[in-house]
Amino acid sequence: MRDIPSLALLLGPAGLLRRHALALTVAGLAGVGASAATVALLARINVALHRPAGPLGEMALAFVGLGLAMLAGRATASALSNRTGQTIIRELRLMLAQRILAAPLDALERYRTHRLLPVLTGDVGMVSGLCLSLPMTVVAASVVLGCVLWLAWLSWQLALLVLGALALSLALQRWAQDRAMLRFEAARDDEDALHKAWRTLGDGAKELRLSRGRRRQLLDGRIARHADDIARAQVEAGDLFALSFEASAALYFLLVALVFAAARWWQLSSEVAGGFVLALLYMKGSLDQVLGFLPFYARARVALGRVNELGACFANPEPGQVSDEPPQLLHSITLQGVRYAFEASEGAASFALGPLDLQLRRGELLFIVGDNGAGKTTLLKLLTGLYRPQQGRLLLDGRPVEDAGRDAYRQLFSPVLSDFHLFEELPETERPAAERDAAAQAALERLELAHKLTVQDGRLAGTDLSTGQRKRLAMVHACAEARPVMVFDEWAADQDPAFRKRFYREFLPALRAQGHTLVVISHDDRYFEVADRVLVMEGGQLREAPAAPTDVSRP
Ligand SMILES: Nc1ncnc2c1ncn2[C@@H]1O[C@H](COP(=O)(O)OP(=O)(O)OP(=O)(O)O)[C@@H](O)[C@H]1O
């Protein structure tokens, strides 16, 4: 089991609760004030029950005054805690999104993207619930405390008896909580695995329909197994809490009986005994609220652990993400003695690239070719600044690209990666939006997508597309962005022969003529002669290759 982390994210020096300490203190004080008014009201009722009635008007005034104070205190506490809770949730969501966006790509790849969503939705929701319910639980706890103080004022011996019972009840809950946390932790691990299976339901929909075996594996082997494990862990944890809760409830009624017996034993007045019974019965609701909060708190601690873990994984942001300086490529981009190795994962040998040298000259059309797994995409990630070289240097026009300048450097590139994501909106550019939209519309026509899609206010509206058409649409986005360096990772792989030919013989030369520098990963050796240079990747090493002779009669 992983360690249950501290509440640093909420209570640490820069914790979210600390930042709202004033509002939360005011909410807490208002709640405590309301509790004091409640206890005073109880005391008045007790007096009214056991002593001859005083002037009615005075009594009514006291009741109304205390009732109003209670109402105002509770309403203030509730409204303030609700607003502050919602603000904290918003800040937590933004903080996590910013951290993920600012994290180095390899940190995100190591974390595994399927683990992000359960944290960002389920765990953040659970932590949000904790923030929202915490202040009102504090109010309930202060009602209990107020009642105990009043009882101590009535009879310290009986109050000690009550305190003893409360301590026993809390110890029981603590016992249940410690054991339940282990189950909640195990259930949360299963939630991650289950989420991965949910993704398979959508991503593998076609394969699953074509294979009963795969369906069985997914449903029985993964979904049912994890769902069973989660249900078992939650039931066991729920049983533990229910057991301790019911034991506390039984103890409570035993306490009321004990109070009666002790009052008789110590010959206490009926006002004292009545006050005790009244207070005990009244504070039962608040006590239940506090005890009922504990199971929720236990689950929220586990969720908070995951949120903390995510925050910690991405706690080292890349510097310089908000540089306004527009990047320029005047002569060349150079990789000098660059080396990059992936961390070895269970049982698999790690892949290491380099040390290698490469110079990409402005305006050139460079092909990178090589076998599957040779390291072409890894090289592209180093060249585009997505990965930081572990050794060696990346130079822009002879000047090293340092950490602070890497994000600005990355703005030189418009990529179409092999595992590209299709955004709904066209990217923001330095150019006016109308110019960008016109470039996108022209690209739609060139790529024969204009009958499927139109550009509307920077968005691309239209029907669903085939795999090859989606790749073309990714190119439309790159053309609309039109950065100095355009990068295509096996773009032509999904295109029909005629379009593939147009890509190599028409589009690439046209983009080069417009002044773009082009890096193309390709397996299409029949078009290598289009390139100014062809480099071969082999086992993480790079070598120059002469362009292959071309048979222009082939498509
Ligand atoms: N995030 C990662 N973590 C660990 N290993 C990785 C990671 N990404 C790639 N690799 C490994 O690095 C090696 C090179 O991968 P890369 O994607 O660069 O190859 P490639 O030449 O582009 O292959 P292909 O032509 O099949 O796309 C492979 O052995 C791959 O398993």
Side-chain angles (χ1 to χ4, degrees):
M1 195 195 91
R2 70 192 73 204
D3 290 340
I4 308 292
S6 70
L7 296 176
L9 195 74
L10 292 179
L11 296 171
L16 291 170
L17 286 185
R18 285 240 177 148
R19 265 193 264 158
H20 297 279
L22 182 64
L24 289 171
T25 309
V26 174
L29 287 177
V32 171
S35 306
T38 310
V39 175
L41 210 52
L42 284 181
R44 286 263 163 183
I45 293 170
N46 193 41
V47 169
L49 281 174
H50 295 95
R51 287 191 212 163
L56 264 184
E58 192 188 305
M59 200 165 78
L61 208 64
F63 269 69
V64 170
L66 287 171
L68 283 177
M70 185 179 82
L71 181 71
R74 286 190 80 93
T76 308
S78 165
L80 262 179
S81 61
N82 189 21
R83 273 163 189 70
T84 314
Q86 295 296 351
T87 311
I88 289 172
I89 295 161
R90 179 185 160 277
E91 285 176 359
L92 183 61
R93 288 187 170 138
L94 284 182
M95 187 262 280
L96 290 176
Q98 276 162 357
R99 281 201 184 183
I100 294 168
L101 278 173
L105 179 69
D106 45 10
L108 195 60
E109 286 176 347
R110 275 195 301 274
Y111 185 82
R112 305 280 176 217
T113 43
H114 76 267
R115 290 179 57 211
L116 282 179
L117 221 52
V119 178
L120 294 175
T121 53
D123 293 329
V124 168
M126 191 65 84
V127 175
S128 312
L130 179 75
C131 293
L132 285 174
S133 58
L134 199 59
M136 291 320 283
T137 309
V138 171
V139 171
S142 69
V143 168
V144 174
L145 188 69
C147 285
V148 171
L149 287 176
W150 177 44
L151 295 181
W153 180 74
L154 284 175
S155 158
W156 64 267
Q157 299 99 320
L158 281 186
L160 274 183
L161 199 68
V162 172
L163 271 180
L166 285 182
L168 196 60
S169 175
L170 282 175
L172 258 173
Q173 289 292 329
R174 185 65 210 243
W175 171 85
Q177 183 175 321
D178 287 348
R179 272 142 200 84
M181 288 283 274
L182 299 174
R183 274 119 180 136
F184 287 144
E185 268 289 328
R188 183 58 188 76
D189 282 336
D190 279 300
E191 292 278 359
D192 270 350
L194 197 57
H195 195 83
K196 207 171 172 184
W198 294 149
R199 281 183 47 165
T200 312
L201 275 180
D203 296 349
K206 295 175 287 300
E207 292 85 347
L208 287 166
R209 270 148 195 78
L210 288 167
S211 164
R212 286 183 182 162
R214 282 201 191 283
R215 277 208 300 270
R216 259 196 309 277
Q217 278 170 329
L218 181 66
L219 195 62
D220 302 339
R222 288 170 59 190
I223 295 178
R225 181 160 58 85
H226 295 306
D228 284 349
D229 289 347
I230 291 171
R232 191 174 325 111
Q234 298 282 7
V235 165
E236 284 173 7
D239 285 351
L240 278 167
F241 277 118
L243 185 74
S244 64
F245 191 83
E246 295 312 327
S248 295
L251 192 72
Y252 204 80
F253 286 104
L254 189 69
L255 178 68
V256 174
L258 269 178
V259 163
F260 271 124
R264 190 169 295 179
W265 178 264
W266 286 315
Q267 296 185 339
L268 299 174
S269 69
S270 66
E271 186 179 332
V272 171
F276 263 79
V277 173
L278 191 65
L280 286 176
L281 292 180
Y282 183 83
M283 75 188 218
K284 174 90 172 72
S286 299
L287 193 61
D288 283 352
Q289 195 177 338
V290 175
L291 294 181
F293 174 76
L294 294 178
F296 178 66
Y297 172 72
R299 293 180 63 197
R301 279 290 295 271
V302 174
L304 192 60
R306 300 305 166 112
V307 175
N308 264 342
E309 189 189 358
L310 187 144
C313 277
F314 303 127
N316 297 319
E318 289 188 307
Q321 285 220 348
V322 282
S323 162
D324 287 327
E325 247 175 74
Q328 276 196 330
L329 167 62
L330 299 176
H331 313 292
S332 64
I333 291 170
T334 311
L335 293 179
Q336 211 172 60
V338 162
R339 200 174 177 283
Y340 187 90
F342 291 105
E343 272 177 23
S345 55
E346 317 109 31
S350 77
F351 175 83
L353 177 141
L356 56 79
D357 298 301
L358 164 69
Q359 187 167 57
L360 175 69
R361 292 181 281 274
R362 181 182 165 177
E364 83 168 321
L365 169 48
L366 174 70
F367 275 25
I368 298 171
V369 305
D371 297 339
N372 292 134
K376 303 180 293 298
T377 302
T378 309
L379 173 65
L380 211 59
K381 286 176 176 169
L382 284 159
L383 194 68
T384 50
L386 285 171
Y387 286 166
R388 180 182 191 270
Q390 290 160 349
Q391 266 175 36
R393 296 194 304 171
L394 170 66
L395 307 163
L396 172 62
D397 294 326
R399 283 189 307 276
V401 176
E402 306 292 358
D403 286 348
R406 188 168 304 107
D407 189 66
Y409 166 81
R410 285 199 292 247
Q411 312 310 307
L412 279 172
F413 299 88
S414 289
V416 183
L417 303 171
S418 53
D419 57 348
F420 64 92
H421 175 79
L422 263 187
F423 289 87
E424 285 177 10
E425 311 87 9
L426 290 170
E428 275 180 23
T429 61
E430 286 80 38
R431 294 186 293 170
E435 213 176 291
R436 175 204 60 190
D437 292 0
Q441 188 60 45
L444 278 178
E445 276 151 31
R446 237 183 2 261
L447 290 154
E448 297 177 11
L449 288 175
H451 64 295
K452 291 260 174 199
L453 296 157
T454 49
V455 183
Q456 284 171 7
D457 301 327
R459 298 176 76 87
L460 287 155
T463 51
D464 279 347
L465 301 173
S466 72
T467 308
Q469 286 170 333
R470 283 171 54 79
K471 214 65 177 288
R472 291 188 210 173
L473 184 55
M475 188 164 166
V476 170
H477 281 265
C479 291
E481 196 172 41
R483 295 255 177 85
V485 188
M486 297 180 84
V487 170
F488 298 100
D489 191 350
E490 295 182 30
W491 186 88
D494 307 304
Q495 302 301 315
D496 59 57
F499 224 86
R500 188 178 296 201
K501 186 176 174 186
R502 286 188 66 194
F503 172 69
Y504 287 107
R505 296 212 186 285
E506 201 180 301
F507 300 150
L508 291 181
L511 288 169
R512 182 174 45 183
Q514 286 165 18
H516 293 289
T517 305
L518 300 161
V519 183
V520 179
I521 292 182
S522 170
H523 292 293
D524 291 321
D525 53 359
R526 73 191 68 175
Y527 299 110
F528 285 0
E529 107 290 352
V530 175
D532 296 319
R533 246 181 339 145
V534 181
L535 298 177
V536 183
M537 233 11 232
E538 232 170 40
Q541 296 295 331
L542 203 55
R543 64 177 167 80
E544 296 248 2
T550 313
D551 178 356
V552 286
S553 63
R554 281 160 47 184

